[in-house]
Amino acid sequence: MDEESSWDQRHDDREYVPELSALNGTDQEWRLPRLARVYGTARQLFLTVEHRPLPATIVHSLHDERGTLIVKVSSPQWQAFLEPFFHLAWRSENENPEQVRVLGS
């Protein structure tokens, strides 16, 4: 998955945050910061493996549905490629990595 990007795009890659939502997110306020950590961990793993930032807007949203992480990405190609990163990131939050669903648009 190779993509060229300008300096502006690389800056956007560092600043971008996908939509975060959770069932009972208003009652259990810890869920949204956890999703932000999961995204940050997945980005760091991607950077470590790929030696480049995760391109902005590839990940559209993360949703916590009763302990299942649902990640929506821009395409089926990215879906397969990013799934291991989100399995590890979800596991880092003491969640079952088998409870991760990455969906491509």
Side-chain angles (χ1 to χ4, degrees):
M1 310 279 324
D2 195 28
E3 290 185 6
E4 289 291 323
S5 58
S6 67
W7 183 90
D8 289 335
Q9 182 61 45
R10 288 191 304 269
H11 183 266
D12 290 345
D13 294 344
R14 290 189 299 270
E15 301 297 321
Y16 175 77
V17 177
E19 180 182 330
L20 306 175
S21 62
L23 184 68
N24 300 326
T26 55
D27 296 338
Q28 299 172 344
E29 296 177 7
W30 52 270
R31 288 187 181 274
L32 294 180
R34 177 172 74 162
L35 289 175
R37 286 192 309 271
V38 166
Y39 179 67
T41 300
R43 282 181 46 197
Q44 286 298 104
L45 291 166
F46 185 90
L47 180 63
T48 300
V49 171
E50 287 292 302
H51 304 287
R52 64 187 175 115
L54 177 62
T57 70
I58 295 299
V59 178
H60 293 255
S61 65
L62 280 75
H63 178 72
D64 180 354
E65 180 76 30
R66 295 186 177 115
T68 296
L69 175 64
I70 301 167
V71 182
K72 292 186 181 174
V73 299
S74 63
S75 71
Q77 293 84 10
W78 280 103
Q79 174 186 356
F81 191 73
L82 292 178
E83 194 163 11
F85 298 106
F86 282 99
H87 278 259
L88 290 170
W90 197 233
R91 183 177 178 202
S92 76
E93 293 290 330
N94 295 317
E95 292 289 347
N96 182 350
E98 298 303 314
Q99 294 299 110
V100 174
R101 306 290 177 262
V102 180
L103 310 172
S105 299

